[in-house]
Short mmCIF file of all heavy atoms in Angstrom, two decimals:
data_model
loop_
_atom_site.label_atom_id
_atom_site.label_comp_id
_atom_site.label_asym_id
_atom_site.label_seq_id
_atom_site.Cartn_x
_atom_site.Cartn_y
_atom_site.Cartn_z
N ASP A 65 23.30 30.84 9.27
CA ASP A 65 24.70 30.59 8.92
C ASP A 65 25.10 29.21 9.45
O ASP A 65 25.74 29.08 10.50
CB ASP A 65 25.58 31.68 9.55
CG ASP A 65 27.04 31.56 9.15
OD1 ASP A 65 27.35 30.75 8.24
OD2 ASP A 65 27.88 32.26 9.75
N VAL A 66 24.67 28.16 8.75
CA VAL A 66 24.85 26.80 9.21
C VAL A 66 25.54 25.97 8.13
O VAL A 66 25.28 26.14 6.95
CB VAL A 66 23.48 26.18 9.61
CG1 VAL A 66 22.50 26.20 8.45
CG2 VAL A 66 23.64 24.78 10.16
N TRP A 67 26.47 25.10 8.58
CA TRP A 67 27.29 24.30 7.68
C TRP A 67 27.34 22.87 8.20
O TRP A 67 27.19 22.63 9.38
CB TRP A 67 28.71 24.88 7.63
CG TRP A 67 28.74 26.30 7.14
CD1 TRP A 67 28.52 27.43 7.90
CD2 TRP A 67 28.95 26.75 5.81
NE1 TRP A 67 28.62 28.55 7.11
CE2 TRP A 67 28.88 28.16 5.83
CE3 TRP A 67 29.22 26.09 4.61
CZ2 TRP A 67 29.04 28.92 4.68
CZ3 TRP A 67 29.39 26.85 3.46
CH2 TRP A 67 29.31 28.26 3.51
N ILE A 68 27.60 21.94 7.28
CA ILE A 68 27.61 20.53 7.68
C ILE A 68 28.92 19.86 7.29
O ILE A 68 29.49 20.13 6.22
CB ILE A 68 26.41 19.77 7.07
CG1 ILE A 68 26.26 18.39 7.70
CG2 ILE A 68 26.49 19.69 5.54
CD1 ILE A 68 24.92 17.73 7.42
N LEU A 69 29.41 19.01 8.18
CA LEU A 69 30.59 18.20 7.93
C LEU A 69 30.15 16.79 7.54
O LEU A 69 29.01 16.38 7.80
CB LEU A 69 31.46 18.12 9.19
CG LEU A 69 32.25 19.39 9.53
CD1 LEU A 69 32.84 19.27 10.93
CD2 LEU A 69 33.34 19.64 8.51
N PRO A 70 31.03 16.00 6.91
CA PRO A 70 30.68 14.62 6.57
C PRO A 70 30.30 13.82 7.80
O PRO A 70 30.88 13.97 8.88
CB PRO A 70 31.96 14.07 5.93
CG PRO A 70 32.65 15.29 5.36
CD PRO A 70 32.36 16.38 6.35
N THR A 71 29.32 12.97 7.65
CA THR A 71 28.79 12.15 8.76
C THR A 71 29.81 11.11 9.20
O THR A 71 30.46 10.46 8.39
CB THR A 71 27.50 11.45 8.30
OG1 THR A 71 26.55 12.45 7.94
CG2 THR A 71 26.92 10.59 9.41
N ILE A 72 29.95 10.96 10.52
CA ILE A 72 30.80 9.89 11.07
C ILE A 72 30.00 8.59 11.04
O ILE A 72 28.92 8.50 11.59
CB ILE A 72 31.22 10.21 12.52
CG1 ILE A 72 32.06 11.50 12.57
CG2 ILE A 72 32.01 9.05 13.11
CD1 ILE A 72 32.47 11.91 13.97
N ALA A 73 30.59 7.58 10.39
CA ALA A 73 29.89 6.30 10.22
C ALA A 73 30.18 5.33 11.35
O ALA A 73 29.26 4.66 11.85
CB ALA A 73 30.26 5.67 8.89
N TYR A 74 31.45 5.21 11.76
CA TYR A 74 31.84 4.17 12.70
C TYR A 74 31.90 4.76 14.09
O TYR A 74 32.71 5.65 14.38
CB TYR A 74 33.20 3.58 12.29
CG TYR A 74 33.21 3.12 10.85
CD1 TYR A 74 33.92 3.81 9.89
CD2 TYR A 74 32.46 2.02 10.46
CE1 TYR A 74 33.92 3.40 8.56
CE2 TYR A 74 32.44 1.59 9.16
CZ TYR A 74 33.17 2.30 8.19
OH TYR A 74 33.15 1.88 6.89
N THR A 75 31.04 4.22 14.99
CA THR A 75 30.92 4.82 16.31
C THR A 75 30.80 3.72 17.36
O THR A 75 31.24 2.59 17.16
CB THR A 75 29.70 5.77 16.35
OG1 THR A 75 28.51 5.04 16.01
CG2 THR A 75 29.86 6.93 15.38
N LYS A 76 30.21 4.06 18.51
CA LYS A 76 30.16 3.13 19.64
C LYS A 76 28.92 2.23 19.54
O LYS A 76 27.87 2.53 20.10
CB LYS A 76 30.16 3.90 20.96
CG LYS A 76 30.35 3.00 22.18
CD LYS A 76 30.33 3.81 23.46
CE LYS A 76 30.53 2.91 24.67
NZ LYS A 76 29.42 1.93 24.81
N SER A 77 29.09 1.12 18.85
CA SER A 77 27.98 0.20 18.60
C SER A 77 28.19 -1.15 19.28
O SER A 77 27.66 -2.16 18.83
CB SER A 77 27.81 -0.03 17.09
OG SER A 77 27.41 1.15 16.43
N ASP A 78 28.94 -1.16 20.37
CA ASP A 78 29.31 -2.45 20.96
C ASP A 78 28.14 -3.18 21.61
O ASP A 78 28.26 -4.37 21.92
CB ASP A 78 30.46 -2.29 21.95
CG ASP A 78 30.21 -1.25 23.02
OD1 ASP A 78 29.46 -0.31 22.76
OD2 ASP A 78 30.77 -1.38 24.12
N GLU A 79 26.98 -2.54 21.78
CA GLU A 79 25.82 -3.27 22.27
C GLU A 79 25.34 -4.30 21.25
O GLU A 79 24.60 -5.23 21.57
CB GLU A 79 24.68 -2.34 22.67
CG GLU A 79 24.03 -1.58 21.51
CD GLU A 79 24.65 -0.23 21.26
OE1 GLU A 79 25.88 -0.11 21.33
OE2 GLU A 79 23.90 0.71 20.98
N HIS A 80 25.79 -4.13 20.00
CA HIS A 80 25.46 -5.08 18.94
C HIS A 80 26.71 -5.84 18.47
O HIS A 80 26.74 -6.34 17.35
CB HIS A 80 24.84 -4.33 17.75
CG HIS A 80 23.70 -3.44 18.11
ND1 HIS A 80 22.48 -3.94 18.52
CD2 HIS A 80 23.59 -2.09 18.15
CE1 HIS A 80 21.66 -2.92 18.79
NE2 HIS A 80 22.32 -1.80 18.58
N HIS A 81 27.70 -5.94 19.33
CA HIS A 81 28.98 -6.55 18.95
C HIS A 81 28.82 -7.99 18.49
O HIS A 81 29.62 -8.51 17.71
CB HIS A 81 29.96 -6.52 20.14
CG HIS A 81 29.58 -7.49 21.23
ND1 HIS A 81 30.14 -8.72 21.35
CD2 HIS A 81 28.66 -7.38 22.24
CE1 HIS A 81 29.60 -9.37 22.39
NE2 HIS A 81 28.70 -8.57 22.94
#
Side-chain angles (χ1 to χ4, degrees):
D65 185 10
V66 57
W67 301 83
I68 191 166
L69 286 169
T71 301
I72 298 178
Y74 307 109
T75 58
K76 189 180 181 297
S77 294
D78 53 332
E79 67 268 40
H80 308 290
H81 72 97

